Amino acid sequence: MSADLVQIETDGPVASVRLNDPDRRNALGVAMFDALDETLATLASSNDVHIVLLHGTGRAFCGGFDLAAATADPSVIGLFIERLSGVLRGLRRMPQIVVGAVHGAAIAGGCALVSACDLVVVSATAKLGYPVHAMGVSPAVSIPTLQQAIGAGAARAIMMSGELIDGARAHHVGLAFALSPDDESTVPDARALCRELAGHGHHALRVTKAWLNELDGSLDEKRYDGPKRESADLSATDEARRALAAALKDRFA
């Protein structure tokens, strides 16, 4: 099943990675994390793939963690946080340029995936953000990549407020490189960007990304480990579990 959750299509030097669980808005659960880890590791080792396009099937890019799984076992949230941290590192440290095509919802863990891409094309009507504090969940695991993408001030505002922003504002604050007018245009526009990038010198692009990662802290494990550990530990507290249980009862009642 996990192999079906992430699908790869190649077009010359461009590999399209598609999250493929539309009925659950491409939720991040154990099987999805397994598939993502395997896919990213395979592509990272390829010399033939120069550009990676990340997008989602259905109405959403990614709606965040698989909360249905958390209704049966609230402790799974801590595991999801740890797995998400690994995927963020994998995306950021791939030698290839990663382009995100974001439509519909990119919420919490989904927004974290967006922040780890090198370049993002976003639909003007997309919704992005981290509305998770009321569930007793901290989005701190996303701080390393979000702060690099939009700066400390904007990252603080989006994370602390829990506000959902639309694609136009995401573009304005620098979370997205390009803005598409609607959901239907986003993947075609992102593919066009990928083709343009593929026409550049791929060795030069790899060296550029490698040095950006070297100098901006993307290779520093401590920057990721601290937020991951604190977020996972928080999810295991009685207070957080009560908040999560209350939120899930309202959502799945």
Side-chain angles (χ1 to χ4, degrees), residues 87-167:
V87 170
L88 299 182
R89 298 181 215 210
L91 285 168
R92 179 50 54 87
R93 295 170 183 176
M94 293 185 79
Q96 295 88 354
I97 307 304
V98 181
V99 175
V102 180
H103 76 286
I107 308 298
C111 194
L113 296 182
V114 175
S115 74
C117 295
D118 297 302
L119 296 169
V120 173
V121 179
V122 66
S123 166
T125 58
K127 296 297 181 184
L128 307 91
Y130 302 86
V132 295
H133 293 111
M135 296 183 183
V137 178
S138 168
V141 66
S142 183
I143 289 175
T145 49
L146 183 68
Q147 193 174 81
Q148 289 171 343
I150 64 176
R156 183 180 295 270
I158 290 174
M159 282 200 159
M160 296 301 293
S161 70
E163 176 186 6
L164 291 180
I165 63 174
D166 63 18

Side-chain angles (χ1 to χ4, degrees), residues 234-253:
L234 172 66
S235 70
T237 64
D238 290 340
E239 179 182 1
R241 292 194 176 189
R242 285 194 297 270
L244 178 63
L248 293 178
K249 181 178 179 181
D250 291 339
R251 177 168 298 199
F252 294 102

Side-chain angles (χ1 to χ4, degrees), residues 19-217:
L19 308 182
N20 188 43
D21 191 6
D23 291 341
R24 298 193 300 166
R25 299 199 306 170
N26 302 313
L28 297 169
V30 171
M32 181 67 84
F33 281 124
D34 287 345
L36 274 171
D37 284 343
E38 180 179 352
T39 299
L40 297 182
T42 298
L43 292 176
S45 65
S46 172
N47 292 321
D48 297 324
V49 174
H50 305 160
I51 311 295
V52 173
L53 171 62
L54 179 66
H55 61 114
T57 304
R59 298 180 296 108
F61 171 75
C62 176
F65 288 162
D66 180 4
L67 295 180
T71 61
D73 180 12
S75 68
V76 79
I77 294 295
L79 172 63
F80 289 169
I81 289 169
E82 293 183 4
R83 296 297 300 272
L84 176 60
S85 181
V87 170
L88 299 182
R89 298 181 215 210
L91 285 168
R92 179 50 54 87
R93 295 170 183 176
M94 293 185 79
Q96 295 88 354
I97 307 304
V98 181
V99 175
V102 180
H103 76 286
I107 308 298
C111 194
L113 296 182
V114 175
S115 74
C117 295
D118 297 302
L119 296 169
V120 173
V121 179
V122 66
S123 166
T125 58
K127 296 297 181 184
L128 307 91
Y130 302 86
V132 295
H133 293 111
M135 296 183 183
V137 178
S138 168
V141 66
S142 183
I143 289 175
T145 49
L146 183 68
Q147 193 174 81
Q148 289 171 343
I150 64 176
R156 183 180 295 270
I158 290 174
M159 282 200 159
M160 296 301 293
S161 70
E163 176 186 6
L164 291 180
I165 63 174
D166 63 18
R169 186 171 170 196
H171 180 246
H172 177 73
V173 301
L175 185 55
F177 170 76
L179 184 66
S180 292
D182 50 47
D183 286 356
E184 291 72 23
S185 304
T186 305
V187 171
D189 288 348
R191 290 191 190 280
L193 175 59
C194 289
R195 288 193 295 269
E196 179 182 347
L197 292 170
H200 298 175
H202 75 273
H203 291 299
L205 284 174
R206 286 192 178 212
V207 169
T208 301
K209 179 171 179 176
W211 273 107
L212 284 168
N213 286 349
E214 177 73 28
L215 297 176
D216 70 8

